[in-house]
Amino acid sequence: MPAAPPAVSVIMPVLDEERHLRDSVRHILEQEYAGEMEVVIALGPSSDRTDEIAAELVREDPRVHTVPNPTGRTPAALNAAIKASRHPIVVRVDGHGMLSPNYIATAVRLLEETGAQNVGGIMHAEGENDWEHAVAAAMTSRIGVGNAAFHTGGEAGPADTVYLGVFRREALEQQGGYNEEFIRAQDWELNFRIREAGGLIWFSPELKVQYRPRPSVRALAKQYKDYGRWRHVVARYHSGSINLRYLAPPTAVCAIAAGLVAGAAVHPLGFVIPAGYLAAIAAGSVPAGKGLSLKARLQIPVALATMHMSWGFGFLTSPRSLAQKVIASRRPAVMASTQA
């Protein structure tokens, strides 16, 4: 008789997720997985109906539990949920992520086949209105995010980090969980320690999570400014982690700013630089918008420019003091042989 699949704990850091939380949990509870499962939702101080919806989910299904996260910070939420969970496989899901039907079963199989400590796949952005369709198109195009495999897809294989992640609990406990100083990029930092300890991080396009984009230009700008800010922290934390893809947005911001200043103060030829950038994203939007409505296609350049400029601005303005604070909290990787 075949052994039962390992039991799984799904952990969810949640803050202001009334729009998507119920649907996200439904995609978890309806997984095509034969093993035991629990869902632990770490609740931040939301200003909407998130807590009420979470309480309804707890009443409706005994597999769902909640724990408080008074700080509202994602890594603190993840650590609280890990501590409250109990199964050997830990699946991270965000409150606006929708797992594909066989996500957990596939991830557990890949953990077994590869021997990895963490496996993850594609962040498949899908919108629910014209603006969100435009953002999703930008997020899944190379002109928007470069060659990031978890956005655009790619071959299965070892990776530096993956989207969300399905972990062996022993790897999380060995490393002491997430570093709570990393308000963003906490996945990268944890996976860095796992790799330093000799563990394998595995990317597979078989794993897909539907992701709901930010609902406005302002929200998208804040998201990408934070991404850029924390990517610079990571670059200072680990100098070998930067590459040309990460330098492209801040370079574009500097070049466009210089072009605007030169065009206004020196010679109109300076405007060639920002004009060239706008022409490039307009051209890149054409293939990205295939199959979308005209209104959505017209908004793709806005989404691209918002992502590029906000990310670049966040990178350029990331304070060195933030990186110094994070570096001071550095946790050395814990090798299995030295674990207490």
Side-chain angles (χ1 to χ4, degrees), residues 4-332:
V8 167
S9 296
V10 181
I11 59 172
M12 302 183 70
V14 168
L15 179 69
D16 292 330
E17 290 286 2
E18 69 172 359
R19 184 178 172 195
H20 299 301
L21 179 59
R22 176 171 288 279
D23 203 21
S24 182
V25 172
R26 178 179 63 80
H27 278 77
I28 297 167
L29 298 176
E30 293 179 357
Q31 283 288 295
E32 297 171 1
Y33 186 67
E36 185 180 351
M37 180 166 49
E38 66 175 351
V39 181
V40 181
I41 304 172
L43 293 170
S46 295
S47 57
D48 60 11
R49 294 183 58 254
T50 295
D51 287 9
E52 181 182 337
I53 293 168
E56 292 171 357
L57 292 167
V58 170
R59 289 194 297 269
E60 293 165 6
D61 196 304
R63 293 173 292 177
V64 181
H65 315 279
T66 61
V67 292
N69 173 35
T71 70
R73 294 181 171 185
T74 299
L78 291 166
N79 284 341
I82 291 167
K83 184 177 180 180
S85 66
R86 55 197 172 91
H87 295 320
I89 305 297
V90 179
V91 181
R92 175 181 172 177
V93 181
D94 286 344
H96 46 270
M98 314 294 162
L99 300 186
S100 52
N102 61 349
Y103 181 89
I104 291 177
T106 301
V108 170
R109 172 176 60 79
L110 288 171
L111 285 172
E112 178 64 27
E113 290 177 354
T114 65
Q117 301 300 304
N118 180 22
V119 299
I122 295 175
M123 176 183 179
H124 184 66
E126 290 188 355
E128 296 181 328
N129 55 45
D130 288 326
W131 164 250
E132 292 179 4
H133 288 316
V135 176
M139 291 180 69
T140 54
S141 70
R142 292 191 180 276
I143 192 174
V145 295
N147 61 350
F150 70 84
H151 280 298
T152 61
E155 296 294 325
D160 289 344
T161 191
V162 290
Y163 179 55
L164 300 179
V166 177
F167 299 84
R168 298 179 189 271
R169 176 177 292 276
E170 62 197 34
L172 293 172
E173 293 180 345
Q174 179 181 317
Q175 299 305 326
Y178 291 85
N179 184 334
E180 295 187 13
E181 292 297 334
F182 273 81
I183 308 306
R184 296 286 185 273
Q186 65 275 159
D187 297 305
W188 178 91
E189 193 277 336
L190 174 59
N191 285 320
F192 175 71
R193 283 186 281 129
I194 291 173
R195 288 187 290 108
E196 272 199 323
L200 175 65
I201 311 299
W202 189 265
F203 167 80
S204 174
E206 291 183 76
L207 298 172
K208 184 180 291 187
V209 181
Q210 293 178 9
Y211 169 86
R212 297 293 186 253
R214 295 296 191 271
S216 67
V217 173
R218 181 177 180 179
L220 183 67
K222 182 181 184 304
Q223 177 188 20
Y224 272 78
K225 185 190 77 173
D226 288 345
Y227 282 171
R229 177 186 177 96
W230 282 90
R231 184 65 239 187
H232 204 164
V233 171
V234 167
R236 287 167 168 155
Y237 182 93
H238 178 50
S239 59
S241 68
I242 202 69
N243 59 39
L244 292 177
R245 175 165 66 90
Y246 297 124
L247 293 176
T251 300
V253 170
C254 291
I256 290 169
L260 290 172
V261 171
V266 181
H267 193 281
L269 278 176
F271 292 123
V272 168
I273 296 174
Y277 170 76
L278 292 175
I281 62 171
S285 298
V286 175
K290 186 176 180 181
L292 298 182
S293 69
L294 176 61
K295 187 175 180 181
R297 293 200 303 272
L298 291 174
Q299 294 182 85
I300 294 175
V302 178
L304 287 170
T306 301
M307 291 162 58
H308 294 162
M309 296 299 102
S310 300
W311 203 103
F313 179 78
F315 188 95
L316 291 168
T317 59
S318 181
R320 186 174 293 274
S321 60
L322 178 59
Q324 290 171 340
K325 179 182 178 183
V326 168
I327 290 169
S329 74
R330 185 191 297 270
R331 297 180 182 180

